[in-house]
Amino acid sequence: MSAQPAHRPRTQSPPQPNRHPLRYGYGTNGLTDLRLDDALSLLADLGYDGVGLTLDHMHLDPLAPDLAARTRRVARRLDALGLGVTIETGARYVLDPRHKHGPSLLDPDPEQRARRVDLLVRAVHVATDLGAHAVHCFSGITPEGTDEDSAWKRLAETLAPVLDAATTAGIPLAIEPEPGHLLATLDDFHRLRRTLGSPDTLGLTLDIGHCQCLEPLPPAECVRAAAPWLRHVQIEDMRRGIHEHLPFGDGEIDFPPVLQALAATPYQGLIVVELPRHSHAGPQFAEQSLPFLHRASGAPSPPQAPDETPIPGEEPVASEGRTP
């Protein structure tokens, strides 16, 4: 963590007209040391509105037997806890234990591409059964030896059956511009959208940190530019030119204008904290992140539970209670 005062928004923005309450979630890819049921209980206790559920071997494994039955159990648990959900598909090694995020939609081998398509179609079915508001995906890195035009054509062709499944299910498919991938920017999203004929089912996952990392516009302007296509939002701190997901206060993003811009869009899905490299202290970061976002947005935090005994050598962190 940085030496600057932690978890304080840098500016205070005045209330704006036509704002709606923001709904926050936390990604299970930042809670990989917890069982899924424990992670869901933690987020409900902290006052989160929902969860970004990454399908992975430790959390609702999409390749293990009895997926439908296991999904029904998770659906009941989400309902009991009052948590919304979006389905994320960024598990590092769920398909290939040796290659991060492989195979992708751009893999040169059609059989390998089909494995990624199968995972995404499974994710659509899971999302349907859970009542999720979107399914997240990404393009992948352009394979060595593949020219750009061929890569874009391959992406559009490979994504088509996933879009068909999402359209049938009535679930938006929210593709994420990812630094280093073929589809890396908002302009790239629009290129794919036009190539596919602007299907209603294809939407956008906007990662606020990625906007800070490489978009020419400031993050708040990115939100306004992306508003008509927003189907999922991820949020964390980040620095310009460095693709490293950071806890709030450790990067360069001025969050009050970003959250103000989000509140002024029609988007009312989850805004999911994404700290996948901080699972070693996931409960701590989940506890710290929600109060930060409430302060940055100018919204009141949920009532606080009595303070717990601090861990020696660490600052005490107030527990957030869930509103009855």
Side-chain angles (χ1 to χ4, degrees), residues 69-93:
R70 289 184 288 113
T71 301
R72 287 193 293 271
R73 289 196 292 270
V74 173
R76 290 193 293 270
R77 187 62 177 152
L78 290 168
D79 185 64
L81 294 171
L83 293 174
V85 62
T86 188
I87 297 300
E88 304 203 7
T89 60
R92 292 184 178 93
Y93 298 102

Side-chain angles (χ1 to χ4, degrees), residues 94-108:
V94 68
L95 291 177
D96 187 332
R98 298 175 183 269
H99 300 98
K100 180 182 175 182
H101 293 156
S104 78
L105 295 168
L106 299 174
D107 197 285

